[in-house]
Amino acid sequence: MIHSFIGDLGHISIIVAFVTAIIAAISYRLTAIEKNEVEKQRWKSLARGSFTIHGISVFSIVCILFYMIFNHYYEYHYVWSHSSNNLPAYYIVSSFWEGQEGSFLVWSFWHVLIAFFIIRKSGDWEFDVMFIVAAVQAFLISMVLGITVFGSKIGSSPFILLRDAIEAPVFATNPNFVPEDGTGLNPLLQNIWMVIHPPTLFMGFALTLVPFAFVISALLKKDYQGWVKPSMGWVILAISVLGIGIMMGAYWAYETLNFGGYWNWDPVENAVYVPWLILVAGLHLMIIQHKSFAALKTSMILVVSAFILILYSTFLTRSGVLGEASVHSFTDLGLSGQLLLYLIFFTAIAIVLFVGRWKSMPSDPEEASAYSPEFWLFIGSTVLTLMSFQVLVPTSIPAWNALLSNFGIESNVAPPADAVAFYTKFQLWFAVALALVSGTTQFFFWKRLNKENIWSTLSVPYVATMLITALIIILGNVHQPTYIILLTAAIFSLVANTQVLIQYTKGKIAVSGGSVSHIGVALMLLGILSSSGYEQVISLNTSGRIYNSEFPEEMNKENVLLFRGHSKRMGKYYLTYKGPRLTSQDVPGYFNKDFVKQKASDPYKAVVVEDIIVDGETKAQVGDEIQIYNENIYYEIEYKSDDGEMFSLFPRVQDNEDMGPIPSPDIASFWNKDMYTHITNLAVSDEEVEWTMQDPLKMSIGDTTYLNDYVVIFDGVKPLEKAPGYNIKPEDVALQATLRVLVGNNKSIDLKPSYILTKVKRMGIDGVMEDWEAGMLPSTDRELGLRVVLKEILPKENSFVFTAETTQKDWVIMKAVEKPFISILWIGTILLGIGTGISSYRRFKEAKQKNKGSKNAINSDKKENVLV
């Protein structure tokens, strides 16, 4: 059944949202320039009304698409492409923004929410600011418009039917065909952080529009300083949310990707990092505007550039330009031209306005003294800007190559081969400069310094820094000069900002935001230095053997081979590979994959072949049918230290038809380190394993034999009460044999093959006859590399016949990395978010008070005019 109504409703909502955004933009602009008060009120009502309808339409689009995804309307291409029946509810939410259309809608959704706050709180700035916001919304909604005009495609709609999006023979015979299941969510996105990281990041994107709109409004109104106070809170909020979103992405990469870190200098990572740096630089120059026009032009350019760079990053990641340079980029949906127009349009508006207003914009003729806070804020902003350009230029190489190729020019310039080494080499020194400046500037900001008192003021943090750094160098055995310099700079920033927090803010939370933010950044630098600079691979191959000549040298050296059930020493730990594990919504935690057998008719269902017991309680019995997440296989690795510490990690491997096996790490976090573990290679699966048949074994109870280098003892038989997939009847003869396999260290593993004789009726010469039919349930153990079948029972000889097959024992190759004090990085991130949050609240409060003061003054003027 095709649910056509809801798709049509979605299409109509998109068109309404697009048209009303254009009407709102035009109306707001006419409101701003209209001099007649009566006409101004009419345009204002039209502008607000049309934008309200626009907002309702955007909310409707989002709700409709969510409804379609949750109800598995696979007749729609977007739903079929990004979700599936077996996804948990929280991952179904993620499938909303996995595709380009959904992510554009999330971005647009945040714009609408923010716009309603602007309408209520921005006073006289509403008209010009909302003109820009509505214009941006028109462009953004056009990305999901999904119509063709004069042969040109405008946008890609999430409400297009599957039969209209792809060509398949089934639609020729059955136009109303609806798939039973979707293709599912990208395995790498099946992580809880991908439920919250993308919407947070897009909220950060949306917030950068507000200061951009204020600056453009200031240029239109020629009010070059009035924009600073009402937009300051928005700038800091954008920095806070965008920064948190970036670090959420870093943590997702840390938990999900197997490169062993949280930042890989991927072009898509860089494309978001650069505008954040630029916006931070712009903020620090905006602070100067309260006292002078010293950096007015520069601050306005930086704030505008942050939003333009957001658009540029969108173009890079969604146009397909970075297809070969980044694992994160989207495929091109044919929107590259539209995205480029989006970027050029607003860049051109900004350039034209700056050129037209440049000469009339005020400036401060006096140069800032080296003892003034303005000087040090400008230095800090310069460092941030240079940091951003060092990343932006190499990241943009694929885009420039594509541009030149359109003009028939072949470019041989390539992005850095080793991105991590290239960017880190430069960014490290920028970080040093930034740490030193952030610590120093705070004192100039809070206290008037000069030649006479500068040493007495700064001597305390300097001496404290030297003592603390020396202690860390000795205790931590830090000897690399580069690391010592970065450590010293980070410690100085931490000490200086802590002193300011205690001595100058005097515990007043409202004015402590800057110091808390800088402390957070200093801790982040320390966390990066300790976790990346001093990480230690402990899964070293000390056997002297090469696992595979085709493996890279690093893999043969820094990975350890573990056979299932056999412990191996690694650092201070003994590691044991316990076997593959599954998860289910019917069973808490992880359970042994060997305890269930997947159903051929439904890959998401399995029959229990051995009781599943969790914490002493039986959660599923033999013969039960349970749901399983079959695409996710976890491999239990038990860590046991000499001092009795024990824990298990469950690194995951996802089997994806398009991408192949995709490993994801598991992490054990301690106060002083993280133990990071991921699978790098596996033995063949149960379906692919090759078995070797052994000679039949005739055994009596108590007999001993040898199989696959193990001693095997036949302990006896007992009646079989349950059999997976079969209901044992009272007249059946069902037995289960127990073969005890001795594996050493007083440990044994039981193999339990079963034999069932059941009465069947057959048609013979003399009519219907009763006969016995034998069924055999083998017992398989990949740890032992054994599969045993109870083939025959010989009552007269009091013996049993077994057949046995052998294969290679199950194994994994894994890598374990110890990351010392990485928790400092995450603590620093939290403090950065808290600090920027405090500052943002304070600036919003100041803007509100100023707005109230302005309204009171206007009301007072009106009263005076009435009296006159």
Side-chain angles (χ1 to χ4, degrees):
M1 174 184 172
I2 302 292
H3 299 87
S4 56
F5 172 76
I6 193 165
D8 293 339
L9 184 62
H11 276 297
I12 293 170
S13 298
I14 290 175
I15 293 170
V16 171
F18 178 66
V19 172
T20 50
I22 294 174
I23 294 173
I26 295 171
S27 302
Y28 267 121
R29 186 66 195 129
L30 292 173
T31 305
I33 62 177
E34 181 61 58
K35 301 299 182 182
N36 184 289
E37 280 298 321
V38 176
E39 289 298 316
K40 193 181 189 74
Q41 287 300 318
R42 289 177 178 172
W43 285 117
K44 177 182 175 181
S45 298
L46 177 60
R48 285 185 170 181
S50 57
F51 194 86
T52 300
I53 296 172
H54 167 80
I56 293 171
S57 299
V58 171
F59 293 154
S60 299
I61 298 165
V62 171
C63 292
I64 289 168
L65 188 56
F66 261 123
Y67 182 83
M68 289 166 54
I69 291 172
F70 270 100
N71 287 278
H72 306 302
Y73 287 177
Y74 295 128
E75 61 266 38
Y76 289 95
H77 181 256
Y78 193 86
V79 179
W80 174 80
S81 299
H82 302 292
S83 67
S84 64
N85 297 334
N86 202 45
L87 280 177
Y90 42 89
Y91 290 157
I92 289 179
V93 172
S94 298
S95 63
F96 180 94
W97 43 73
E98 183 194 22
Q100 294 212 45
E101 298 92 335
S103 58
F104 282 130
L105 286 173
V106 173
W107 193 353
S108 179
F109 171 82
W110 287 125
H111 276 163
V112 170
L113 285 183
I114 292 166
F116 286 146
F117 277 98
I118 293 172
I119 291 170
R120 287 174 56 89
K121 303 293 183 181
S122 60
D124 291 339
W125 287 93
E126 175 194 344
F127 313 127
D128 288 298
V129 169
M130 283 302 300
F131 158 60
I132 299 298
V133 172
V136 168
Q137 276 294 89
F139 270 93
L140 205 50
I141 293 298
S142 74
M143 297 298 171
V144 295
L145 201 53
I147 62 173
T148 302
V149 179
F150 302 119
S152 298
K153 178 184 176 183
I154 301 178
S156 176
S157 173
F159 301 111
I160 188 171
L161 289 169
L162 183 62
R163 67 189 181 194
D164 297 328
I166 62 174
E167 294 182 6
V170 67
F171 295 121
T173 56
N174 181 12
N176 292 329
F177 170 77
V178 179
E180 293 183 1
D181 201 358
T183 58
L185 186 66
N186 185 321
L188 295 176
L189 303 184
Q190 293 182 30
N191 180 281
I192 192 63
W193 288 103
M194 293 312 291
V195 178
I196 55 178
H197 159 60
T200 304
L201 197 64
F202 282 112
M203 184 180 180
F205 284 9
L207 285 166
T208 62
L209 169 61
V210 183
F212 169 82
F214 268 100
V215 172
I216 297 299
S217 300
L219 293 171
L220 290 170
K221 297 172 65 161
K222 297 184 180 181
D223 184 356
Y224 301 116
Q225 202 171 26
W227 67 277
V228 175
K229 183 155 282 193
S231 68
M232 184 82 79
W234 292 105
V235 173
I236 302 172
L237 184 61
I239 289 169
S240 180
V241 175
L242 189 58
I244 290 170
I246 291 170
M247 291 310 296
M248 281 181 177
Y251 197 81
W252 161 77
Y254 181 58
E255 274 200 345
T256 305
L257 305 181
N258 64 341
F259 67 87
Y262 37 81
W263 196 263
N264 208 30
W265 295 108
D266 182 275
V268 173
E269 295 172 345
N270 298 348
V272 183
Y273 172 65
V274 168
W276 184 80
L277 287 177
I278 290 293
L279 195 60
V280 175
L283 167 67
H284 287 82
L285 292 184
M286 286 173 67
I287 295 172
I288 300 175
Q289 306 315 312
H290 291 292
K291 295 183 179 180
S292 71
F293 294 111
L296 172 67
K297 295 177 181 177
T298 309
S299 64
M300 295 177 81
I301 290 172
L302 289 175
V303 168
V304 166
S305 297
F307 176 72
I308 297 299
L309 285 167
I310 289 291
L311 299 186
Y312 179 61
S313 72
T314 304
F315 171 74
L316 285 181
T317 56
R318 295 166 191 276
S319 63
V321 170
L322 299 178
E324 297 180 0
S326 171
V327 297
H328 298 85
S329 64
F330 289 82
T331 56
D332 186 11
L333 293 180
L335 304 179
S336 53
Q338 214 173 319
L339 289 166
L340 189 59
L341 179 63
Y342 187 9
L343 171 63
I344 291 173
F345 181 82
F346 288 101
T347 304
I349 287 177
I351 291 173
V352 168
L353 284 173
F354 271 113
V355 170
R357 302 286 193 263
W358 192 260
K359 291 183 179 179
S360 64
M361 293 171 69
S363 59
D364 198 332
E366 296 183 8
E367 291 187 7
S369 165
Y371 293 97
S372 67
E374 291 84 359
F375 174 83
W376 288 98
L377 286 169
F378 190 82
I379 293 296
S381 297
T382 302
V383 173
L384 287 164
T385 305
L386 292 174
M387 284 181 77
S388 65
F389 272 97
Q390 191 275 321
V391 176
L392 177 64
V393 174
T395 302
S396 300
I397 289 174
W400 293 112
N401 287 344
L403 178 64
L404 291 173
S405 66
N406 289 332
F407 292 98
I409 303 172
E410 290 296 326
S411 173
N412 295 323
V413 181
D418 187 348
V420 175
F422 174 81
Y423 289 110
T424 303
K425 177 175 63 177
F426 292 97
Q427 292 291 301
L428 185 147
W429 294 108
F430 283 124
V432 169
L434 199 61
L436 294 173
V437 172
S438 72
T440 305
T441 305
Q442 283 290 315
F443 290 99
F444 285 95
F445 190 82
W446 285 96
K447 185 176 181 179
R448 185 179 296 277
L449 297 181
N450 50 45
K451 293 180 181 179
E452 287 72 30
N453 65 359
I454 188 170
W455 170 244
S456 60
T457 302
L458 296 178
S459 59
V460 174
Y462 285 161
V463 173
T465 298
M466 292 300 108
L467 292 174
I468 295 172
T469 304
L471 185 63
I472 293 175
I473 290 172
I474 295 170
L475 296 178
N477 194 26
V478 182
H479 51 78
Q480 190 169 336
T482 305
Y483 291 173
I484 292 175
I485 294 171
L486 179 60
L487 174 66
T488 304
I491 292 295
F492 171 71
S493 179
L494 179 62
V495 170
N497 282 285
T498 301
Q499 181 181 343
V500 168
L501 184 66
I502 296 171
Q503 182 177 348
Y504 296 106
T505 66
K506 301 185 185 303
K508 294 180 181 178
I509 296 176
V511 293
S512 65
S515 297
V516 173
S517 299
H518 291 155
I519 290 171
V521 173
L523 289 174
M524 289 174 70
L525 291 177
L526 291 173
I528 292 169
L529 174 61
S530 60
S531 62
S532 298
Y534 290 92
E535 69 176 18
Q536 182 181 3
V537 177
I538 60 175
S539 55
L540 297 176
N541 177 12
T542 57
S543 67
R545 292 178 294 181
I546 295 176
Y547 300 136
N548 193 318
S549 59
E550 295 182 0
F551 289 170
E553 182 181 356
E554 179 185 335
M555 184 171 172
N556 280 309
K557 285 184 176 180
E558 297 184 352
N559 290 263
V560 64
L561 171 67
L562 297 176
F563 285 99
R564 195 197 295 194
H566 295 266
S567 298
K568 180 173 284 190
R569 182 82 179 192
M570 195 177 74
K572 72 171 188 175
Y573 296 101
Y574 283 97
L575 266 68
T576 307
Y577 165 44
K578 308 288 283 188
R581 303 290 185 253
L582 287 174
T583 56
S584 167
Q585 63 185 19
D586 301 323
V587 178
Y590 303 92
F591 61 89
N592 196 329
K593 181 176 180 287
D594 297 334
F595 287 2
V596 298
K597 184 178 181 180
Q598 184 175 315
K599 295 186 69 175
S601 59
D602 187 348
Y604 303 131
K605 297 290 185 180
V607 177
V608 178
V609 297
E610 188 168 336
D611 290 353
I612 299 175
I613 301 172
V614 180
D615 296 329
E617 182 181 351
T618 301
K619 297 295 183 180
Q621 297 180 336
V622 173
D624 289 351
E625 184 180 289
I626 64 170
Q627 177 270 346
I628 58 169
Y629 297 112
N630 68 312
E631 70 273 22
N632 296 324
I633 310 296
Y634 301 85
Y635 295 84
E636 183 177 359
I637 310 294
E638 182 185 80
Y639 284 76
K640 191 172 184 180
S641 67
D642 296 329
D643 55 10
E645 176 189 15
M646 187 170 70
F647 58 91
S648 287
L649 291 178
F650 297 86
R652 178 181 65 180
V653 176
Q654 295 174 304
D655 191 13
N656 184 269
E657 291 183 4
D658 299 325
M659 305 170 68
I662 301 172
S664 294
D666 195 16
I667 303 162
S669 297
F670 305 92
W671 73 271
N672 61 340
K673 67 182 178 184
D674 273 8
M675 184 62 73
Y676 181 99
T677 302
H678 67 90
I679 302 296
T680 52
N681 210 275
L682 296 166
V684 294
S685 64
D686 292 341
E687 294 76 19
E688 298 172 313
V689 67
E690 295 181 1
W691 294 92
T692 301
M693 181 65 73
Q694 305 295 307
D695 293 333
L697 302 171
K698 184 188 288 187
M699 302 180 71
S700 298
I701 296 174
D703 285 353
T704 300
T705 188
Y706 292 92
L707 282 175
N708 218 16
D709 298 329
Y710 293 109
V711 175
V712 181
I713 303 171
F714 181 20
D715 282 340
V717 294
K718 66 177 183 178
L720 180 65
E721 297 178 355
K722 295 179 181 178
Y726 180 77
N727 183 27
I728 299 175
K729 297 183 284 294
E731 65 271 17
D732 291 342
V733 177
L735 297 175
Q736 184 180 72
T738 301
L739 296 170
R740 181 160 42 99
V741 184
L742 305 181
V743 295
N745 296 324
N746 296 319
K747 177 186 174 184
S748 64
I749 296 174
D750 289 342
L751 294 175
K752 297 181 178 181
S754 300
Y755 187 90
I756 302 174
L757 276 175
T758 183
K759 282 186 178 181
V760 295
K761 293 181 179 180
R762 304 184 190 279
M763 183 64 68
I765 299 173
D766 300 325
V768 179
M769 302 175 59
E770 285 191 346
D771 197 3
W772 291 91
E773 186 176 83
M776 288 150 282
L777 300 176
S779 180
T780 305
D781 194 295
R782 289 290 306 279
E783 177 180 335
L784 304 172
L786 286 174
R787 179 162 66 193
V788 179
V789 178
L790 176 53
K791 194 73 174 178
E792 191 177 356
I793 301 174
L794 303 174
K796 293 180 180 180
E797 300 180 25
N798 197 26
S799 62
F800 301 79
V801 178
F802 296 92
T803 60
E805 295 173 282
T806 61
T807 190
Q808 187 183 50
K809 301 165 190 176
D810 187 24
W811 54 266
V812 296
I813 296 177
M814 54 150 283
K815 184 174 183 177
V817 181
E818 194 174 83
K819 291 184 170 292
F821 295 104
I822 192 173
S823 56
I824 296 175
L825 169 60
W826 312 126
I827 292 170
T829 301
I830 293 169
L831 286 178
L832 176 60
I834 292 173
T836 50
I838 292 170
S839 297
S840 178
Y841 176 79
R842 175 191 167 200
R843 297 298 182 177
F844 276 124
K845 191 174 181 180
E846 289 176 353
K848 183 179 180 181
Q849 290 171 348
K850 182 181 179 182
N851 198 31
K852 280 185 177 179
S854 300
K855 286 182 178 179
N856 291 336
I858 291 170
N859 292 334
S860 177
D861 289 342
K862 286 182 178 178
K863 288 178 182 179
E864 288 179 8
N865 290 334
V866 170
L867 289 172
V868 171

